[in-house]
Amino acid sequence: MVQTELASIRRELNAALADQERFEALALVELNQDRLLFLGTAPGAAAGLEASLEDFLLRLVTYTESHDQFTENEDFVFYDLTGRQLVLRYFETKTRRCVLVAVVYPQKTYKQAVKKLAKTLKPLV
């Protein structure tokens, strides 16, 4: 992956964090290479969220048995005790398998925004 593609990915995800009040954090991982392409938090994100999300992503890429359960255009949603949603959106290109991870503030909608973001990122990966 060339630096310009990574810069475009970072630009899109940073813009989503800055422009919307729904995402507390965003991450993008490539499953083929077990590579973290992006991890960022919103300015008002909870303390320690980035480190916790990084730990989760490490488990996500190393627990390869679960990768077969991912299907394109389907969201996997987990909730924490505060009502925050952790949304995983899987997508593929011809050569790469990626997971967009969005941490959504409590009581905020996410479906259209996550779908649009994944669609925007797919040609950049």
Side-chain angles (χ1 to χ4, degrees):
M1 181 171 292
V2 251
Q3 290 298 335
T4 55
E5 291 167 332
L6 283 174
S8 296
I9 290 168
R10 288 185 186 114
R11 186 174 40 257
E12 290 293 334
L13 291 169
N14 278 322
L17 283 171
D19 289 345
Q20 298 180 6
E21 296 176 358
R22 71 177 42 108
F23 299 128
E24 193 170 1
L26 289 168
L28 181 65
V29 294
E30 182 184 352
L31 297 178
N32 297 49
Q33 302 294 320
D34 295 347
R35 187 165 62 157
L36 179 61
L37 301 175
F38 179 87
L39 173 60
T41 57
L49 178 62
E50 189 169 338
S52 297
L53 186 54
E54 192 171 3
D55 289 344
F56 172 79
L57 296 171
L58 179 61
R59 287 191 302 274
L60 175 69
V61 297
T62 56
Y63 188 57
T64 57
E65 292 81 20
S66 67
H67 296 176
D68 293 337
Q69 297 175 9
F70 289 130
T71 58
E72 210 161 352
N73 301 320
E74 184 178 357
D75 295 333
F76 294 88
V77 182
F78 304 91
Y79 296 89
D80 73 1
L81 296 174
T82 67
R84 187 186 295 131
Q85 301 170 77
L86 181 68
V87 180
L88 282 67
R89 177 79 172 200
Y90 174 81
F91 62 93
E92 295 179 4
T93 66
K94 289 182 181 179
T95 59
R96 294 187 170 98
R97 299 169 52 217
C98 295
V99 178
L100 172 64
V101 179
V103 179
V104 183
Y105 284 111
Q107 301 179 2
K108 295 290 183 177
T109 59
Y110 67 87
K111 285 189 185 235
Q112 292 299 335
V114 168
K115 182 179 177 180
K116 181 180 176 187
L117 196 50
K119 188 176 182 178
T120 301
L121 293 172
K122 190 173 182 175
L124 301 175
V125 177

